[in-house]
Amino acid sequence: MSAPRIGLRGIVKRYGPIVANDRVDLDVAAGGIHAVVGENGAGKTTLMRIIAGLVEPDAGRYELDGRPVRLRGPADAIRRGIGMVHQRFQLVEELSALENLVLGATPGRLRFDRRAARTAARRLAEQLAAELDWEAPVAQLSVGQRQRLEIMRLLYRRADILIFDEPTSVLTPGEAELLFGIMRRLAADGRTILFITHKLPEVFAVAQHVTVMRRGRVVATSAVADTDPRQVGRQMVGEDLTPPDLRPSGRVGRPVLALREVSATGGRGEPRLRRVSFEVAEGEIVGVAGVEGNGQRELVEVVMGLRQPAGGEILLDGRPCGHRGVRERRDLGVAFISEDRDGEGASLDATIADNAVATAYRRPPLARAGLLSPGRVRRATEDLIRRFGVQGGRPGAPARVLSGGNLQRLVVGRELSRVPRLLVAAHPTRGVDLRGTVFIRQQLHRAREAGAAILLVSEEIVELLELCDRIVVLYRGRITADLPVARVTAERLGALMAGLAA
Amino acid sequence: MPDALQAVLAAAAPASASILLAAMGGAVNRQGGIVNVGLEAKMLVGAFVAVICGAATSSSALGALAAAAAGALVGSAFSLVVTRLGANEIVAGLGLNLAAVGLFGYLLPVVFGVSATLSPPGLVGLPLLRIPLLDAVPFLGPVLSGHDPLTYVSWMVVPLTWLLLYRTTWGVSLRATGADEEAARAAGIRTLLLRDLSTAWAGALAGLAGAQLSLGLVQLFNKQMTGGRGFIALAAFYFGDARPGLTALAALVFGVFEAASFRLQGGELAPQLVQMLPYLAVVASLLVVGARRRRLRRRRELTPEPGR
Ligand SMILES: Nc1ncnc2c1ncn2[C@@H]1O[C@H](COP(=O)(O)OP(=O)(O)O)[C@@H](O)[C@H]1O
Ligand SMILES: [Mg+2]
């Protein structure tokens, strides 16, 4: 057998006391898709950054085609054909897609030859079967389009090893399928793909090999054909993760939230919600199923008071509240897990403690007579960190240091530290690892059993079926079905979400 | 009336040249991510160096070149303080302006023995150039022709700036740097170097602007001769969103108001009121920009971002 395209031997990377990569060995064959899976903090990103020349290992050997190399930065890596699509895209939003494509790629040349760039762009778009508006600023592109632009940027620089760091965590299921098609095509062209994820079905859908990491180490590397999701799941977590029982006890009380013929419009006046009516009662989780862009965001915003409804009535505990602002609604006992975790959900620049008390700081016991008690804030934060298993930062550190999964634990903890009357949860487990996902679902379940009314917006059919008492389907701004969960199967729900008749 | 209009427009061309030059440099600088509040100081230094070197060499051309070089030098120093030492660009820019005022307040009496105005012997101003065919166009002839060379340079700098920003890889990289430094650096761009170069360029143009004041409009140096034009330039590229066309338009409009205020000074309005005209135009235009941007922002908030 010839030498692997990438060979790592005993790679070590430490961050202070943390060993992010602990004597990692990895062989990646040329021309295929190799998945790397592991929980948050397992060291996947660090390892990929080493491969892409962004981080220098403290020890170990790095070989390309059997020859040892030492990369001097990402520019050196891209010269050797190695490029990475980061979790946070590295695009300049204000520049056009075309300008982003060529940015920094021709340092020696002064003239920016738009025509040549456009020709290259068109060829790349054809190759990926991914058309986009090259003159539009990147800010106007969808997340999926941005990701495809990142891929084309790497191909423009002639990369033949492409590293994807959790590319599907920002995509809708439909867009993820599109990405998998692109990945397969690139691999068929002989390119080598490294694919990080923590969703096991994705591994088994596209990859030929899978490497499992846990706590900085490689636990196993296998051919996908020789293993199964259960085994890989066990290797990831280090134990059998028995799914907890989340079935509702069925003690449903009085309605808490009621929507009566609520409509909403988008920025250009186009309808986004059309006469939506349903109720959520005490001790009940009502799931909102639908493919992204069918009005979920608007629904959440009108319920939270972030958007004025264009018509209809919103009742909280029987009282109209369509005119009330976010704070008033929160004072009535509404809690909110936003899908926009680091925009609406948390402030990355503020400390973990400030984020932890952001919805409670005006009330006793944290504040008395308008004065904040720092000691109580710290204790409340430490308590929350312990109860909700937030790892990776002390109360005084900025929230930015937390990984996505841990930041979400912080947000969930803040919103559920008291049992709310109503919880609005939008995609609460998106981009969260296996253990975190199980934990968050458990918390939602617990809040329901304690009497909270929960509105759960999700695209994950499994999540909806596992947690909900009732599911409403949102399609093109309309409620097209409102069913008790016992009468729904995964197939039927999928069909309803796609707009096919029930 | 057409005569008066013609006279105002003809006076507006040289009156706006210094603002135009400084604003175009400031726009490039802004696109690279630095708000250059120190344009005023660089203009003043340029005006001074132009007079000293122009007199020493008996050449207005060499005086203007020296002014550009001096502006670039001061610009580079300012830039290094901001990009390498991490100083706040606004504070550093304001400090530079104060330092320039102090410097000339000291130099003129102590070294040159004059209180405010320096007019060394042998100083020759910039020539006025008649452009042969343009000259003969009815009405527009005197508006477009018969100005100092730096006024023509100021016009040529506008398309040059556009080319620089949008048709060179340097310009794309610079705009990327200004919009998102981290992403630009990740694309392999040397962002600090680009910022320094853009500030040096802005300094050179501000220096030329100063030379146009002290060798073109008049033939002397006065320690107050920039009269806030550096700040008007700032307003111009702010109004124009640092885009060359709009910025130039704003600079020219401010120049027209300045020329109009010269004309009106003999009339019955109080001269202090008339002199306020260009500055009032600046304030009014900034109010317009503020209102427009707020409206845009509100609209953007209502349309959901794609994905996320
Ligand atoms: N730049 C850094 N500074 C300090 N610690 C880091 C840094 N990058 C990663 N770590 C730590 O290294 C460990 C592995 O992180 P990472 O490679 O991001 O894991 P994964 O991508 O599998 O979630 C984590 O404990 C993380 O906190
Ligand atoms: Mg990661």
Side-chain angles (χ1 to χ4, degrees), chain A residues 15-16 18-21 38-47 49 87 165-166 196 213 392 401 403:
Chain A
Y15 288 109
I18 298 168
V19 188
N21 285 161
E39 297 274 272
N40 282 334
K44 308 178 295 290
T45 298
T46 303
L47 190 64
R49 287 167 63 88
Q87 247 170 314
D165 194 357
E166 296 193 29
I196 298 186
M213 291 188 75
V401 304
S403 70

PDB file of all heavy atoms in Angstrom, chain A residues 15-16 18-21 38-47 49 87 165-166 196 213 392 401 403, ligand 1:
ATOM      1  N   TYR A  15      -2.714  23.426  25.643  1.00  0.00           N
ATOM      2  CA  TYR A  15      -3.052  24.815  25.956  1.00  0.00           C
ATOM      3  C   TYR A  15      -3.002  24.934  27.466  1.00  0.00           C
ATOM      4  O   TYR A  15      -3.946  24.528  28.140  1.00  0.00           O
ATOM      5  CB  TYR A  15      -4.443  25.175  25.451  1.00  0.00           C
ATOM      6  CG  TYR A  15      -4.523  25.308  23.956  1.00  0.00           C
ATOM      7  CD1 TYR A  15      -5.196  24.368  23.184  1.00  0.00           C
ATOM      8  CD2 TYR A  15      -3.924  26.390  23.309  1.00  0.00           C
ATOM      9  CE1 TYR A  15      -5.271  24.500  21.814  1.00  0.00           C
ATOM     10  CE2 TYR A  15      -3.992  26.516  21.934  1.00  0.00           C
ATOM     11  CZ  TYR A  15      -4.665  25.564  21.196  1.00  0.00           C
ATOM     12  OH  TYR A  15      -4.738  25.699  19.833  1.00  0.00           O
ATOM     13  N   GLY A  16      -1.905  25.444  27.974  1.00  0.00           N
ATOM     14  CA  GLY A  16      -1.754  25.481  29.427  1.00  0.00           C
ATOM     15  C   GLY A  16      -1.875  24.076  29.974  1.00  0.00           C
ATOM     16  O   GLY A  16      -1.204  23.157  29.491  1.00  0.00           O
ATOM     17  N   ILE A  18      -4.412  22.141  29.655  1.00  0.00           N
ATOM     18  CA  ILE A  18      -5.283  21.305  28.836  1.00  0.00           C
ATOM     19  C   ILE A  18      -4.475  20.638  27.735  1.00  0.00           C
ATOM     20  O   ILE A  18      -3.699  21.299  27.031  1.00  0.00           O
ATOM     21  CB  ILE A  18      -6.394  22.150  28.194  1.00  0.00           C
ATOM     22  CG1 ILE A  18      -7.256  22.778  29.282  1.00  0.00           C
ATOM     23  CG2 ILE A  18      -7.236  21.308  27.244  1.00  0.00           C
ATOM     24  CD1 ILE A  18      -8.186  23.840  28.753  1.00  0.00           C
ATOM     25  N   VAL A  19      -4.621  19.328  27.592  1.00  0.00           N
ATOM     26  CA  VAL A  19      -3.995  18.636  26.467  1.00  0.00           C
ATOM     27  C   VAL A  19      -5.076  18.481  25.398  1.00  0.00           C
ATOM     28  O   VAL A  19      -5.924  17.605  25.483  1.00  0.00           O
ATOM     29  CB  VAL A  19      -3.438  17.270  26.887  1.00  0.00           C
ATOM     30  CG1 VAL A  19      -2.625  16.671  25.752  1.00  0.00           C
ATOM     31  CG2 VAL A  19      -2.573  17.429  28.121  1.00  0.00           C
ATOM     32  N   ALA A  20      -5.044  19.375  24.409  1.00  0.00           N
ATOM     33  CA  ALA A  20      -6.094  19.374  23.386  1.00  0.00           C
ATOM     34  C   ALA A  20      -5.919  18.182  22.448  1.00  0.00           C
ATOM     35  O   ALA A  20      -6.888  17.591  21.988  1.00  0.00           O
ATOM     36  CB  ALA A  20      -6.081  20.679  22.599  1.00  0.00           C
ATOM     37  N   ASN A  21      -4.656  17.842  22.143  1.00  0.00           N
ATOM     38  CA  ASN A  21      -4.359  16.653  21.331  1.00  0.00           C
ATOM     39  C   ASN A  21      -3.275  15.866  22.048  1.00  0.00           C
ATOM     40  O   ASN A  21      -2.218  16.398  22.362  1.00  0.00           O
ATOM     41  CB  ASN A  21      -3.859  17.038  19.927  1.00  0.00           C
ATOM     42  CG  ASN A  21      -4.977  17.533  19.017  1.00  0.00           C
ATOM     43  OD1 ASN A  21      -4.730  18.184  18.031  1.00  0.00           O
ATOM     44  ND2 ASN A  21      -6.217  17.210  19.370  1.00  0.00           N
ATOM     45  N   GLY A  38     -16.530  13.294  17.597  1.00  0.00           N
ATOM     46  CA  GLY A  38     -16.178  13.400  19.014  1.00  0.00           C
ATOM     47  C   GLY A  38     -17.021  14.474  19.662  1.00  0.00           C
ATOM     48  O   GLY A  38     -17.553  15.346  18.980  1.00  0.00           O
ATOM     49  N   GLU A  39     -17.143  14.406  20.995  1.00  0.00           N
ATOM     50  CA  GLU A  39     -17.933  15.380  21.721  1.00  0.00           C
ATOM     51  C   GLU A  39     -17.256  16.750  21.681  1.00  0.00           C
ATOM     52  O   GLU A  39     -16.089  16.869  21.310  1.00  0.00           O
ATOM     53  CB  GLU A  39     -18.092  14.919  23.171  1.00  0.00           C
ATOM     54  CG  GLU A  39     -18.847  13.613  23.298  1.00  0.00           C
ATOM     55  CD  GLU A  39     -20.350  13.820  23.339  1.00  0.00           C
ATOM     56  OE1 GLU A  39     -20.887  14.023  24.440  1.00  0.00           O
ATOM     57  OE2 GLU A  39     -20.960  13.797  22.265  1.00  0.00           O
ATOM     58  N   ASN A  40     -17.975  17.784  22.118  1.00  0.00           N
ATOM     59  CA  ASN A  40     -17.367  19.108  22.237  1.00  0.00           C
ATOM     60  C   ASN A  40     -16.121  19.022  23.107  1.00  0.00           C
ATOM     61  O   ASN A  40     -16.139  18.388  24.146  1.00  0.00           O
ATOM     62  CB  ASN A  40     -18.332  20.093  22.900  1.00  0.00           C
ATOM     63  CG  ASN A  40     -19.389  20.588  21.941  1.00  0.00           C
ATOM     64  OD1 ASN A  40     -19.159  20.607  20.742  1.00  0.00           O
ATOM     65  ND2 ASN A  40     -20.526  20.965  22.471  1.00  0.00           N
ATOM     66  N   GLY A  41     -15.055  19.658  22.655  1.00  0.00           N
ATOM     67  CA  GLY A  41     -13.839  19.675  23.454  1.00  0.00           C
ATOM     68  C   GLY A  41     -12.978  18.442  23.287  1.00  0.00           C
ATOM     69  O   GLY A  41     -11.967  18.289  23.974  1.00  0.00           O
ATOM     70  N   ALA A  42     -13.334  17.557  22.363  1.00  0.00           N
ATOM     71  CA  ALA A  42     -12.552  16.334  22.176  1.00  0.00           C
ATOM     72  C   ALA A  42     -11.210  16.614  21.494  1.00  0.00           C
ATOM     73  O   ALA A  42     -10.310  15.785  21.536  1.00  0.00           O
ATOM     74  CB  ALA A  42     -13.352  15.318  21.361  1.00  0.00           C
ATOM     75  N   GLY A  43     -11.089  17.781  20.849  1.00  0.00           N
ATOM     76  CA  GLY A  43      -9.825  18.125  20.208  1.00  0.00           C
ATOM     77  C   GLY A  43      -9.856  18.051  18.692  1.00  0.00           C
ATOM     78  O   GLY A  43      -8.820  18.146  18.037  1.00  0.00           O
ATOM     79  N   LYS A  44     -11.037  17.937  18.121  1.00  0.00           N
ATOM     80  CA  LYS A  44     -11.151  17.804  16.665  1.00  0.00           C
ATOM     81  C   LYS A  44     -10.661  19.061  15.945  1.00  0.00           C
ATOM     82  O   LYS A  44      -9.853  18.992  15.014  1.00  0.00           O
ATOM     83  CB  LYS A  44     -12.624  17.553  16.275  1.00  0.00           C
ATOM     84  CG  LYS A  44     -13.284  16.407  17.019  1.00  0.00           C
ATOM     85  CD  LYS A  44     -14.741  16.246  16.636  1.00  0.00           C
ATOM     86  CE  LYS A  44     -15.635  17.422  17.015  1.00  0.00           C
ATOM     87  NZ  LYS A  44     -15.883  17.585  18.445  1.00  0.00           N
ATOM     88  N   THR A  45     -11.183  20.224  16.385  1.00  0.00           N
ATOM     89  CA  THR A  45     -10.816  21.468  15.713  1.00  0.00           C
ATOM     90  C   THR A  45      -9.319  21.717  15.823  1.00  0.00           C
ATOM     91  O   THR A  45      -8.667  22.100  14.848  1.00  0.00           O
ATOM     92  CB  THR A  45     -11.615  22.642  16.310  1.00  0.00           C
ATOM     93  OG1 THR A  45     -12.997  22.415  16.074  1.00  0.00           O
ATOM     94  CG2 THR A  45     -11.213  23.947  15.659  1.00  0.00           C
ATOM     95  N   THR A  46      -8.770  21.478  17.001  1.00  0.00           N
ATOM     96  CA  THR A  46      -7.332  21.686  17.184  1.00  0.00           C
ATOM     97  C   THR A  46      -6.544  20.832  16.195  1.00  0.00           C
ATOM     98  O   THR A  46      -5.614  21.311  15.539  1.00  0.00           O
ATOM     99  CB  THR A  46      -6.930  21.328  18.628  1.00  0.00           C
ATOM    100  OG1 THR A  46      -7.709  22.120  19.525  1.00  0.00           O
ATOM    101  CG2 THR A  46      -5.460  21.583  18.856  1.00  0.00           C
ATOM    102  N   LEU A  47      -6.926  19.569  16.073  1.00  0.00           N
ATOM    103  CA  LEU A  47      -6.219  18.668  15.172  1.00  0.00           C
ATOM    104  C   LEU A  47      -6.322  19.172  13.723  1.00  0.00           C
ATOM    105  O   LEU A  47      -5.334  19.173  12.984  1.00  0.00           O
ATOM    106  CB  LEU A  47      -6.808  17.255  15.291  1.00  0.00           C
ATOM    107  CG  LEU A  47      -6.011  16.172  14.571  1.00  0.00           C
ATOM    108  CD1 LEU A  47      -4.635  16.024  15.197  1.00  0.00           C
ATOM    109  CD2 LEU A  47      -6.748  14.835  14.622  1.00  0.00           C
ATOM    110  N   ARG A  49      -6.805  22.217  12.761  1.00  0.00           N
ATOM    111  CA  ARG A  49      -6.021  23.446  12.622  1.00  0.00           C
ATOM    112  C   ARG A  49      -4.535  23.138  12.492  1.00  0.00           C
ATOM    113  O   ARG A  49      -3.804  23.865  11.811  1.00  0.00           O
ATOM    114  CB  ARG A  49      -6.283  24.376  13.810  1.00  0.00           C
ATOM    115  CG  ARG A  49      -7.678  25.028  13.739  1.00  0.00           C
ATOM    116  CD  ARG A  49      -8.061  25.685  15.046  1.00  0.00           C
ATOM    117  NE  ARG A  49      -7.180  26.784  15.397  1.00  0.00           N
ATOM    118  CZ  ARG A  49      -7.358  28.045  15.008  1.00  0.00           C
ATOM    119  NH1 ARG A  49      -8.398  28.343  14.267  1.00  0.00           N
ATOM    120  NH2 ARG A  49      -6.511  28.979  15.358  1.00  0.00           N
ATOM    121  N   GLN A  87     -15.620  26.700  11.031  1.00  0.00           N
ATOM    122  CA  GLN A  87     -16.961  26.743  11.603  1.00  0.00           C
ATOM    123  C   GLN A  87     -17.539  28.142  11.429  1.00  0.00           C
ATOM    124  O   GLN A  87     -18.695  28.312  11.102  1.00  0.00           O
ATOM    125  CB  GLN A  87     -16.895  26.389  13.087  1.00  0.00           C
ATOM    126  CG  GLN A  87     -17.561  25.092  13.412  1.00  0.00           C
ATOM    127  CD  GLN A  87     -17.275  24.662  14.834  1.00  0.00           C
ATOM    128  OE1 GLN A  87     -16.140  24.695  15.304  1.00  0.00           O
ATOM    129  NE2 GLN A  87     -18.303  24.262  15.529  1.00  0.00           N
ATOM    130  N   ASP A 165     -14.989  21.827   9.106  1.00  0.00           N
ATOM    131  CA  ASP A 165     -15.192  21.765  10.553  1.00  0.00           C
ATOM    132  C   ASP A 165     -16.668  21.965  10.877  1.00  0.00           C
ATOM    133  O   ASP A 165     -17.183  23.074  10.789  1.00  0.00           O
ATOM    134  CB  ASP A 165     -14.338  22.825  11.254  1.00  0.00           C
ATOM    135  CG  ASP A 165     -14.258  22.582  12.756  1.00  0.00           C
ATOM    136  OD1 ASP A 165     -14.912  21.636  13.233  1.00  0.00           O
ATOM    137  OD2 ASP A 165     -13.548  23.331  13.442  1.00  0.00           O
ATOM    138  N   GLU A 166     -17.332  20.908  11.224  1.00  0.00           N
ATOM    139  CA  GLU A 166     -18.771  20.905  11.533  1.00  0.00           C
ATOM    140  C   GLU A 166     -19.577  21.721  10.532  1.00  0.00           C
ATOM    141  O   GLU A 166     -20.294  22.654  10.897  1.00  0.00           O
ATOM    142  CB  GLU A 166     -19.013  21.422  12.952  1.00  0.00           C
ATOM    143  CG  GLU A 166     -18.402  20.507  13.991  1.00  0.00           C
ATOM    144  CD  GLU A 166     -18.882  20.818  15.402  1.00  0.00           C
ATOM    145  OE1 GLU A 166     -20.013  21.307  15.540  1.00  0.00           O
ATOM    146  OE2 GLU A 166     -18.130  20.561  16.338  1.00  0.00           O
ATOM    147  N   ILE A 196     -15.647  16.918   9.847  1.00  0.00           N
ATOM    148  CA  ILE A 196     -15.931  16.855  11.285  1.00  0.00           C
ATOM    149  C   ILE A 196     -17.418  16.995  11.527  1.00  0.00           C
ATOM    150  O   ILE A 196     -18.081  17.829  10.922  1.00  0.00           O
ATOM    151  CB  ILE A 196     -15.215  17.997  12.028  1.00  0.00           C
ATOM    152  CG1 ILE A 196     -13.718  17.852  11.863  1.00  0.00           C
ATOM    153  CG2 ILE A 196     -15.583  17.996  13.494  1.00  0.00           C
ATOM    154  CD1 ILE A 196     -12.952  18.844  12.673  1.00  0.00           C
ATOM    155  N   MET A 213     -12.637  10.658  18.319  1.00  0.00           N
ATOM    156  CA  MET A 213     -11.762  11.289  19.309  1.00  0.00           C
ATOM    157  C   MET A 213     -12.509  11.464  20.617  1.00  0.00           C
ATOM    158  O   MET A 213     -13.720  11.708  20.638  1.00  0.00           O
ATOM    159  CB  MET A 213     -11.293  12.661  18.820  1.00  0.00           C
ATOM    160  CG  MET A 213     -10.343  12.589  17.646  1.00  0.00           C
ATOM    161  SD  MET A 213      -9.655  14.216  17.258  1.00  0.00           S
ATOM    162  CE  MET A 213      -8.476  14.407  18.603  1.00  0.00           C
ATOM    163  N   GLY A 392     -15.584  24.953  30.776  1.00  0.00           N
ATOM    164  CA  GLY A 392     -14.647  25.704  29.939  1.00  0.00           C
ATOM    165  C   GLY A 392     -14.500  27.166  30.295  1.00  0.00           C
ATOM    166  O   GLY A 392     -13.853  27.897  29.562  1.00  0.00           O
ATOM    167  N   VAL A 401     -15.219  32.475  25.421  1.00  0.00           N
ATOM    168  CA  VAL A 401     -14.323  31.327  25.587  1.00  0.00           C
ATOM    169  C   VAL A 401     -15.088  30.003  25.577  1.00  0.00           C
ATOM    170  O   VAL A 401     -14.479  28.950  25.425  1.00  0.00           O
ATOM    171  CB  VAL A 401     -13.491  31.420  26.890  1.00  0.00           C
ATOM    172  CG1 VAL A 401     -12.712  32.720  26.950  1.00  0.00           C
ATOM    173  CG2 VAL A 401     -14.367  31.264  28.119  1.00  0.00           C
ATOM    174  N   SER A 403     -17.345  26.898  24.294  1.00  0.00           N
ATOM    175  CA  SER A 403     -17.701  26.275  23.030  1.00  0.00           C
ATOM    176  C   SER A 403     -19.208  26.435  22.834  1.00  0.00           C
ATOM    177  O   SER A 403     -19.948  26.733  23.784  1.00  0.00           O
ATOM    178  CB  SER A 403     -17.327  24.800  23.058  1.00  0.00           C
ATOM    179  OG  SER A 403     -18.176  24.118  23.954  1.00  0.00           O
TER     180      SER A 403
HETATM  181  N1  LIG C   1      -6.812  28.622  21.461  1.00  0.00           N
HETATM  182  C1  LIG C   1      -7.084  27.884  22.553  1.00  0.00           C
HETATM  183  N2  LIG C   1      -6.698  28.314  23.770  1.00  0.00           N
HETATM  184  C2  LIG C   1      -6.955  27.587  24.873  1.00  0.00           C
HETATM  185  N3  LIG C   1      -7.589  26.412  24.864  1.00  0.00           N
HETATM  186  C3  LIG C   1      -8.001  25.917  23.686  1.00  0.00           C
HETATM  187  C4  LIG C   1      -7.769  26.641  22.473  1.00  0.00           C
HETATM  188  N4  LIG C   1      -8.285  25.919  21.453  1.00  0.00           N
HETATM  189  C5  LIG C   1      -8.817  24.804  22.019  1.00  0.00           C
HETATM  190  N5  LIG C   1      -8.648  24.800  23.350  1.00  0.00           N
HETATM  191  C6  LIG C   1      -9.082  23.742  24.271  1.00  0.00           C
HETATM  192  O1  LIG C   1      -8.676  22.509  23.742  1.00  0.00           O
HETATM  193  C7  LIG C   1      -9.688  21.523  23.896  1.00  0.00           C
HETATM  194  C8  LIG C   1     -10.073  20.957  22.542  1.00  0.00           C
HETATM  195  O2  LIG C   1     -10.801  21.944  21.821  1.00  0.00           O
HETATM  196  P1  LIG C   1     -11.264  21.752  20.318  1.00  0.00           P
HETATM  197  O3  LIG C   1     -10.127  21.264  19.501  1.00  0.00           O
HETATM  198  O4  LIG C   1     -11.898  23.003  19.903  1.00  0.00           O
HETATM  199  O5  LIG C   1     -12.347  20.610  20.466  1.00  0.00           O
HETATM  200  P2  LIG C   1     -13.551  20.214  19.496  1.00  0.00           P
HETATM  201  O6  LIG C   1     -13.356  20.880  18.181  1.00  0.00           O
HETATM  202  O7  LIG C   1     -13.478  18.715  19.407  1.00  0.00           O
HETATM  203  O8  LIG C   1     -14.807  20.648  20.177  1.00  0.00           O
HETATM  204  C9  LIG C   1     -10.829  22.212  24.616  1.00  0.00           C
HETATM  205  O9  LIG C   1     -10.716  21.907  25.979  1.00  0.00           O
HETATM  206  C10 LIG C   1     -10.594  23.665  24.364  1.00  0.00           C
HETATM  207  O10 LIG C   1     -11.086  24.423  25.435  1.00  0.00           O
END
